[in-house]
Every structure is written in structure tokens, then in C-alpha cells.
Amino acid sequence: MSEATRSGGCLCGGVRYTVAWPLQMLVTCSCTNCQKQSGSALSVVGVVARDDLALSGTLATFTDRADSGNAVYRQFCNRCGSPVLTDTDAARAQGIIFFKAGTLDRTDDLDPATHMWTRSAQGWMVFPDHHAKLPEQQDETDGKA
Ligand SMILES: [Zn+2]
Ligand SMILES: [Zn+2]
């Protein structure tokens, strides 16, 4: 049986969510803002329809800025700080939202096929040859997700 949903949450468990599965899209983002926010090499970013995300718990929001100057709403658990959601006005207009797929309860089978902002990727990162690599962000989502 294939999954219809998958669940995840923040480190402390205060924020929990369920998303429709499979995802619309799964990418990584190596922009410097994602590196700062995650304290890691990159963000693993899932894309879902807003209606396909159910979330409980309390998120705090940091309003980041894309290179375009547009707002990027980075939402994280107000208790443990785990980044959970990223939202933009463009995403709202499209009816989608981004979430940090590293917070899923199961991550071993994730296979992000597109890698964004590889221009600023840490030097040791090796992306699979058959995956798409975008030096920056080249879609309408307008962000550093
Ligand atoms: Zn938490
Ligand atoms: Zn990013």
C-alpha cells in the first residue's frame, strides 16, 4: 500500500504536521540564508499544496528577504527553534507552501532531484550527476526556501 500522507514535526514535538504524500516537489537549497537558518549545509525543502498541510503547535516567524527584496517568512518552533515552514507571498498566490523535509519522521527514502543555489554550496557537497543543479533560484517561488 502506498502512503497517502506523511508526518513530521520539530525536535521538541511541540509542532506536528501531516502532508499529502508523495510531495509535489522535493529540492535542496544551499543558499547562504538556508545554511544560516539550519546551521547545516543546506535545507531539504518539500513543496505541498497549502490545503494538503495540516499543522498543530506554535510557530514563530522570522521575516527574511530574498535577493529580490521580497519577504520570505521563515517559521520555526517557538520552543526548540527547529525550522518547519517557509512561506512567501508568491507561494500564497500559487496555493503552495514549503516545509523543511528534514523534519519528517521518515527521511531515509527522500530523493530531492533538484538542487538550488549550488553556487553557494559548501565545497564538500557532491550532488548526484543525474540531478538538476541550479546555480541560483530560477523559478517563480521567489525565495530562498
Ligand atoms: Zn519544537
Ligand atoms: Zn535556501
Side-chain angles (χ1 to χ4, degrees), residues 3-101:
E3 301 166 86
T5 61
R6 192 173 280 200
S7 297
C10 67
L11 181 60
C12 78
V15 174
R16 294 291 303 166
Y17 65 83
T18 300
V19 291
W21 200 262
L23 301 172
Q24 288 191 10
M25 193 166 30
L26 182 68
V27 304
T28 72
C29 184
S30 295
C31 81
T32 52
N33 293 28
C34 278
Q35 294 188 44
K36 286 281 189 192
Q37 192 199 20
S38 65
S40 184
L42 47 71
S43 290
V44 186
V45 181
V47 183
V48 289
R50 303 178 83 87
D51 290 344
D52 289 340
L53 168 74
L55 184 139
S56 62
T58 304
L59 293 170
T61 301
F62 170 67
T63 303
D64 196 5
R65 294 284 162 185
D67 287 350
S68 62
N70 291 338
V72 177
Y73 308 103
R74 294 181 177 275
Q75 300 189 284
F76 51 94
C77 173
N78 73 339
R79 192 162 60 182
C80 72
S82 296
V84 179
L85 299 180
T86 307
D87 205 1
T88 65
D89 294 325
R92 288 175 182 168
Q94 295 174 69
I96 58 173
I97 194 164
F98 309 101
F99 74 98
K100 302 290 190 185

